[in-house]
Amino acid sequence: MSTSASHLASHQARAVADISEGLVLASVEIAAPPERVFQALTSSEICNWWVRPGVMDTREWSGEVRVGGRWRASGIGNGRPYVLEGEYLEIDPPRKLVHTWEAAGAPGRPSTVTYLLEPTSKGTKITLRHAGIAVPDICTNTSIAWETSFARLAEIFTESLGS
């Protein structure tokens, strides 16, 4: 098993793409209470965990966390600048967050990301459903990105326990 694969397995971040449905399902357990995890999903902390070094590097995030509010993330992906954006559709802290997701200026309908947060004996389980991804390659790459990002988020909270 490669270092990155064993590293991901240690945090049990999982993501699966169903390219025929344009759907990604992902989950991870985080060593922090739901309120704290919700904050990490709705603040500039995203820049700390929403990354794949050398592939996708999120450098800026802004958002107005309210129904109808907009969010925007930008960085470098595959050596080129990118901008993702969306609108918050449902906000029920610290249990549920739903927002749209699209590349800025992209044609077509945005996809939709739903996070469900459940308290566990070890912290919080995040279950993510990212639906409406029309292009199969993008669906596959998005699945890999969610698994990598969730593994990094879990790692950050595990590191903070040790300090």
Side-chain angles (χ1 to χ4, degrees):
M1 186 181 292
S2 73
T3 302
S4 62
S6 64
H7 180 68
L8 292 178
S10 70
H11 293 296
Q12 300 187 3
R14 298 281 182 266
V16 186
D18 181 337
I19 59 174
S20 65
E21 293 291 320
L23 175 66
V24 172
L25 299 174
S27 65
V28 67
E29 188 151 333
I30 306 293
E35 295 80 6
R36 182 65 188 92
V37 174
F38 194 88
Q39 179 184 349
L41 300 176
T42 58
S43 72
S44 60
E45 285 183 58
I46 286 170
C47 294
N48 297 332
W49 61 270
W50 205 12
V51 296
R52 292 187 59 214
V55 179
M56 182 174 151
D57 180 4
T58 302
R59 296 181 178 176
E60 292 184 26
W61 181 91
S62 62
E64 188 178 351
V65 185
R66 62 172 181 77
V67 173
R70 305 282 303 170
W71 67 271
R72 181 178 178 96
S74 62
I76 303 294
N78 294 319
R80 295 185 309 258
Y82 72 86
V83 177
L84 296 170
E85 60 188 8
E87 178 182 340
Y88 289 104
L89 303 176
E90 187 176 342
I91 300 169
D92 181 13
R95 292 177 288 280
K96 186 175 184 182
L97 180 67
V98 182
H99 62 72
T100 61
W101 168 296
E102 64 187 324
R109 296 176 46 129
S111 56
T112 303
V113 177
T114 302
Y115 302 87
L116 297 176
L117 285 72
E118 303 169 71
T120 68
S121 61
K122 297 179 183 178
T124 303
K125 180 180 180 187
I126 303 173
T127 303
L128 174 133
R129 177 182 170 90
H130 191 158
I133 307 169
V135 179
D137 284 350
I138 292 175
C139 189
T140 300
N141 291 338
T142 300
S143 174
I144 294 165
W146 278 120
E147 185 169 302
T148 304
S149 294
F150 275 2
R152 178 65 185 137
L153 180 62
E155 179 182 74
I156 287 169
F157 280 106
T158 300
E159 288 170 356
S160 70
L161 290 175
S163 45

